[in-house]
Amino acid sequence: MTNHHTFQTRLLHNDHKFDRETGAVSVPIQQASTFHQADFDNPGIYDYSRSGNPTREALEDTIANLEGGTRGYAFASGMAAISTSFMLLSKGDHVVISEDVYGGTFRMIHDVLGRFGIEHTFVNMTDLHEVATAIQPNTKVLYIETPSNPLLNITDIQAVSKLAKANNCLTFVDNTFMTPALQQPLELGADLVLHSATKFIAGHSDVVAGLAATNHPEIEEQLGFLQNSFGSILGAHDCWLVLRGLKTLDCRLKQSSESAETIATYLAGHPLVEEVYYPGFNSHPGSSTHAYQSSGAGAVLSFRLKDEAAVRSFSQHIELPVFAVSLGAVESILSYPAKMSHAAMPEHERLKRGITGGLLRLSVGLENPDDLIRDFENGLEYVGAQQKVSKAQ
Ligand SMILES: *Cc1c(COP(=O)(O)O)cnc(C)c1O
């Protein structure tokens, strides 16, 4: 139903806009682990909440609809969604995966799946020739994250999906940074979309959640089976929080993306900043691919200070962004990838990927961008003044 409306409207007007039984204009939280069966020969739709829960189903329907998929799944975290999806693989299978993938995904692939006989090759996913060369007869999945974390590298989803299909592989896309508001990988040929809903989708730094959506008939069935078998489902309360966050996704992301562009431009012009990574800049090597496959540059940017040692005093002298792991919230979040999101990655792997000590990642929230810029200006002025003092000494 209502698929003809635009995305912005479908966030509010979908099959779950009101409860059919009571008319309540909010999805009811079904806080039940089990469901009474009227007759053991004819079980009801729900029997046990790991296998199915009406609140979770509302969220799963909604994400499927928003991603243009046929089925959605809600998991206890983004990592639960990602890890459960990797269980579609079997011993002896091989995965080709972005080398600058999320730190937790790196850990799962590198430290866990190997023990189960699942092989992997990390590649620069922006280089199609390198991707093609890495595909082996036992390759089953090409795994993309675009824009990537934290350097915002852009992978051509359509080109990689084509390459996957030609080699009988599936394409998985971690769509956390864009959300379906800005990028819909299934339409570009991907088979499975994954999310840390903890970030922009829920959007308020108050819930950890994961989502998946697919339009592939085999994945549809198998992932449902794996979700129930592995059991890392999202609880009813948290499903409700994610559903509530989703309603404002479009306007949050619009506002935050607009501010991110303003801030990225400001930082790029600052003499103490060496480099700004932001896919909205024409100078970004992936900007045209990104513009083709997405409808916005998003609200995350990274920047590198010229003086690595200044990162500490800079982050201590800004007031507004919370200094924390995570992103995609109403409040701006500044993080230090080398010690936070990518701490799970060995140092040599980190440096190889450009995640150096001078790099900071900013997820822009809903503050007035002028206030954020003033705050950054103060932080950078402090750093500049300190440098003058140390030079004078
Ligand atoms: C945070 C994040 C994850 C992991 O999600 P959790 O909800 O923290 O388990 C995966 N991918 C990306 C891109 C992320 O930012």
Side-chain angles (χ1 to χ4, degrees):
M1 167 188 129
T2 56
N3 249 319
H4 57 283
H5 293 304
T6 62
F7 183 87
Q8 188 180 351
T9 301
R10 277 190 285 134
L11 286 170
L12 304 161
H13 299 278
N14 52 47
D15 285 346
H16 304 283
K17 72 191 262 189
F18 58 81
D19 177 38
R20 282 187 206 289
E21 232 160 81
T22 62
V25 187
S26 166
V27 171
I29 301 173
Q30 284 292 354
Q31 193 66 43
S33 59
T34 192
F35 297 80
H36 172 69
Q37 306 298 310
D39 168 357
F40 62 61
D41 288 325
N42 297 295
I45 310 172
Y46 304 103
D47 55 16
Y48 187 62
S49 272
R50 170 159 41 70
S51 320
N53 171 285
T55 315
R56 195 173 87 229
E57 202 173 274
L59 173 60
E60 293 179 333
D61 272 6
T62 303
I63 192 61
N65 174 298
L66 296 175
E67 285 285 6
T70 47
R71 201 165 157 190
Y73 308 86
F75 292 93
S77 67
M79 280 319 304
I82 293 166
S83 304
T84 306
S85 300
F86 278 132
M87 290 181 193
L88 291 161
L89 297 164
S90 302
K91 188 176 172 185
D93 289 347
H94 175 251
V95 183
V96 175
I97 182 163
S98 300
E99 64 191 357
D100 51 355
V101 81
Y102 175 74
T105 308
F106 176 90
R107 179 170 49 199
M108 180 67 194
I109 276 273
H110 192 264
D111 300 347
V112 181
L113 292 183
R115 288 199 284 112
F116 296 88
I118 294 163
E119 301 164 12
H120 65 267
T121 305
F122 285 107
V123 294
N124 172 1
M125 213 33 98
T126 67
D127 179 348
L128 285 174
H129 177 73
E130 190 177 331
V131 180
T133 312
I135 296 174
Q136 305 174 5
N138 60 340
T139 304
K140 291 286 158 62
V141 168
L142 306 190
Y143 188 102
I144 304 174
E145 204 178 296
T146 182
S148 70
N149 182 19
L151 291 176
L152 294 308
N153 289 318
I154 304 300
T155 292
D156 186 333
I157 298 173
Q158 198 166 47
V160 172
S161 303
K162 255 192 205 150
L163 195 59
K165 282 205 173 66
N167 287 279
N168 266 323
C169 302
L170 298 169
T171 306
F172 293 3
V173 179
D174 182 331
N175 203 26
T176 299
F177 273 42
M178 288 288 103
T179 82
L182 296 179
Q183 177 170 279
Q184 302 192 355
L186 297 180
E187 208 172 284
L188 296 161
D191 301 294
L192 178 64
V193 180
L194 297 159
H195 284 285
S196 170
T198 313
K199 318 292 169 56
F200 290 101
I201 285 187
H204 293 71
S205 300
D206 54 11
V207 62
V208 172
L211 294 171
T214 186
N215 57 6
H216 189 287
E218 277 163 44
I219 296 184
E220 212 180 84
E221 196 179 310
Q222 287 173 28
L223 197 56
F225 171 81
L226 287 168
Q227 183 192 40
N228 188 36
S229 304
F230 194 63
S232 62
I233 45 135
L234 191 62
H237 266 271
D238 287 348
C239 288
W240 185 87
L241 280 170
V242 175
L243 279 164
R244 177 154 86 164
L246 264 172
K247 293 183 188 188
T248 54
L249 174 65
D250 200 72
C251 71
R252 281 188 286 110
L253 211 51
K254 267 193 192 118
Q255 175 65 54
S256 292
S257 301
E258 197 184 300
S259 303
E261 184 173 359
T262 308
I263 294 165
T265 306
Y266 159 76
L267 286 171
H270 199 287
L272 295 179
V273 176
E274 182 176 287
E275 201 164 357
V276 178
Y277 301 86
Y278 172 65
F281 286 158
N282 286 333
S283 57
H284 186 293
S287 67
S288 63
T289 304
H290 188 72
Y292 170 74
Q293 66 191 12
S294 314
S295 50
V300 180
L301 57 103
S302 290
F303 59 102
R304 196 187 304 283
L305 294 185
K306 281 184 180 150
D307 177 9
E308 248 187 49
V311 163
R312 188 178 299 270
S313 56
F314 171 75
S315 52
Q316 283 167 349
H317 277 84
I318 56 163
E319 279 176 10
L320 285 177
V322 294
F323 191 59
V325 168
S326 198
L327 57 102
V330 286
E331 59 281 325
S332 291
I333 300 178
L334 186 71
S335 76
Y336 187 48
K339 291 233 156 107
M340 292 176 158
S341 57
H342 289 68
M345 197 175 267
E347 191 184 8
H348 66 279
E349 297 281 358
R350 231 185 345 95
L351 295 177
K352 211 164 68 188
R353 289 161 174 77
I355 307 164
T356 62
L359 191 76
L360 287 162
R361 186 188 71 199
L362 177 69
S363 163
V364 181
L366 298 179
E367 301 89 349
N368 185 319
D370 295 342
D371 289 328
L372 287 168
I373 287 179
R374 219 176 355 256
D375 194 24
F376 275 52
E377 185 76 36
N378 286 341
L380 289 166
E381 248 170 44
Y382 178 82
V383 165
Q386 268 204 326
Q387 283 172 358
K388 277 201 195 107
V389 171
S390 69
K391 260 190 204 139
Q393 276 167 355

